[in-house]
Structure formats: structure tokens, C-alpha cells
Amino acid sequence: MKIWMLCLWLLCCGANAQAQQRLILTTEEYPPYNMSDPQGRVTGVATDIVRSLLDSAGIEYEITVYPWARAIAMARTQVNTCVFSMSRTPEREELYRWIGPLVSNDWTLFARSGASRPSHLEEVQNMRIGSYQGDAIVSYLQARGYIVEAAPSDDANPRKLLAGRIDYWATGRLIGQYRLKQQGISNIEAVLNFNRTEMYLACHRQLPEETVRQLNSQLQALHQKGVIKSIYARFGYTL
């Protein structure tokens, strides 16, 4: 009886240890950093960096696309879950364990072609700025007193801008350019870079500190080997 119970306990421990090795990764449609290809596989600059990182570390994982608000909530509340690409802000610092930075992201104002081009963010203080729910840009602007209209998805903002429902659209520079190309819109342009952030793989607080250190060290090794630079090049960008 005791031997049977010991074997069962060892099997359970082994199963639990194996389960803890597998990470659930959540992300959003945020091209060119994270996006689904025509076959439904998640790809993009940041996604391919994450894949290379976890593959080189020997960690099993699965990646699923969700609405951004749900993706970040899952990584905050579910063990063995991480979200990317997450801007590391003071408000989020204590909510996750951080691996990165994976990529940098210029926050940019886009406007209709021919509209005024502000030299400083303060010049649009009383203008309507479009962003989307859960994006760090929203809290950044609102904390500074700006008027932000947060759509459910960033995809809606170019059309809102053209329709005059917002005065400016705030998003990542590469993301904005990608969305305009995908939607076939040529009369919207970037007018002001107002902040630069670095985006990370943000994991549940119970992810072991040893694993965090291992992944951060492995990421630096990928930089040194030129792997990160080659991933950028595959998508037509320079590091």
C-alpha cells in the first residue's frame, strides 16, 4: 500500500513538473510585431524573437491571439502564462515578471494628409486622440490630461480619423504604417513621435526567478549571435 502510494505521488510530481515547463503565451494582432499569417500561425518580429528565445532555452509553449485586454489579464491571473509585446510602464511594473526588451516601439501621432503637424505633444492638448482599449498609450495620454477615445481595436482608428471622428491617431509608428498599408490608405501620415518604449515578454508573478534570469541571459546571447538582427531583416526592418 505504501509503495503504491509512493509511486502515485512520484507520478503526480513528475506530471506537475512537466506541466510547469510549458508556458501559455498570449498576444494580440499588433503587426508587424505580432500577427496571424494566412494559415493562422502567429508570426511577426516580436513573435519570432519569442519563439527563438524559448526554443533555445528548451521551454515548451503555445501562442494564442486574444483581444489585448484579455491577453494581459490572463498573464496577470493565470500561472505559467505570459503576454507579449507588453510595454513596461511604472503602473505595470509590479504586476508581472519581465523578460526583454524584445523590441522598441516609437509612439507616434498620425494625422490626415495636409493637417497641421505639431512640433510637441502639448500642441494637441485639446484635440481628440484615437487609441484602443488596453494599450499603454491610453493611460500615458490620459494621465497627462489628453482627450483619448479608445476603440475596441486599433484597426478602427484609420477610418475614424478619415471620417473626422478623431483629430489624431496615436499608435506605434511601425504598427500604424503597417495598418495603413493593409487597409490601402495613403492619405494618413505620421506627424510626431512623442515617446519611445521597449516591449517585453511579461509573465505571471509566480514564474520562478531562475527562469526569468535564464531567459534574459538567453536573449542577450541571441543578440550577440546576430539572431535578433536577422529576424528584423526577414520582415524588412533594421535593428
Side-chain angles (χ1 to χ4, degrees):
M1 182 66 175
K2 291 182 179 180
I3 295 177
W4 178 83
M5 291 177 64
L6 176 61
C7 291
L8 181 60
W9 179 79
L10 290 172
L11 285 172
C12 290
C13 289
N16 288 337
Q18 186 177 17
Q20 290 172 359
Q21 294 296 315
R22 186 175 183 84
L23 292 180
I24 305 300
L25 306 184
T26 67
T27 189
E28 63 170 336
E29 294 289 349
Y30 197 60
Y33 298 110
N34 337 305
M35 53 192 176
S36 301
D37 65 17
Q39 290 72 45
R41 184 176 187 270
V42 187
T43 183
V45 178
T47 303
D48 285 10
I49 291 173
V50 169
R51 289 186 186 278
S52 294
L53 173 61
L54 296 180
D55 287 344
S56 63
I59 296 176
E60 294 185 2
Y61 60 91
E62 61 181 71
I63 303 176
T64 306
V65 173
Y66 294 100
W68 186 237
R70 180 180 177 187
I72 61 178
M74 289 175 65
R76 190 173 64 250
T77 59
Q78 298 182 20
V79 177
N80 290 340
T81 302
C82 305
V83 60
F84 69 96
S85 302
M86 172 79 91
S87 295
R88 188 170 184 174
T89 65
E91 298 81 8
R92 293 170 171 169
E93 183 66 32
E94 299 303 320
L95 300 179
Y96 305 92
R97 292 196 181 276
W98 300 91
I99 294 131
L102 303 173
V103 293
S104 61
N105 185 24
D106 286 323
W107 291 0
T108 302
L109 287 183
F110 286 80
R112 296 183 298 275
S113 298
S116 62
R117 301 178 67 93
S119 301
H120 304 282
L121 188 61
E122 290 77 9
E123 294 177 30
V124 300
Q125 184 76 48
N126 298 315
M127 301 292 187
R128 298 164 300 169
I129 302 173
S131 185
Y132 72 102
Q133 295 170 5
D135 192 23
I137 291 176
V138 175
S139 57
Y140 177 91
L141 292 173
Q142 288 178 335
R144 289 159 176 79
Y146 291 89
I147 303 168
V148 183
E149 295 190 12
S153 167
D154 207 24
D155 279 334
N157 284 310
R159 296 186 295 275
K160 290 178 65 176
L161 183 58
L162 290 178
R165 294 167 56 196
I166 54 177
D167 300 303
Y168 293 94
W169 167 34
T171 190
R173 189 179 187 92
L174 294 186
I175 293 96
Q177 292 171 342
Y178 182 93
R179 292 194 189 284
L180 293 174
K181 182 178 180 180
Q182 289 296 104
Q183 295 183 25
I185 297 173
S186 59
N187 53 342
I188 291 177
E189 58 189 26
V191 295
L192 176 70
N193 286 354
F194 63 90
N195 192 31
R196 168 172 281 195
T197 63
E198 294 177 323
M199 297 194 294
Y200 288 70
L201 179 66
C203 297
H204 188 276
R205 290 289 302 172
Q206 289 187 23
L207 188 71
E209 187 62 39
E210 180 181 349
T211 302
V212 175
R213 286 196 299 269
Q214 175 196 6
L215 290 174
N216 276 312
S217 176
Q218 190 65 38
L219 183 60
Q220 290 305 311
L222 293 179
H223 272 287
Q224 293 169 3
K225 294 175 183 177
V227 173
I228 308 300
K229 184 177 181 179
S230 68
I231 290 173
Y232 268 82
R234 285 207 304 268
F235 288 90
Y237 302 108
T238 56
L239 185 57

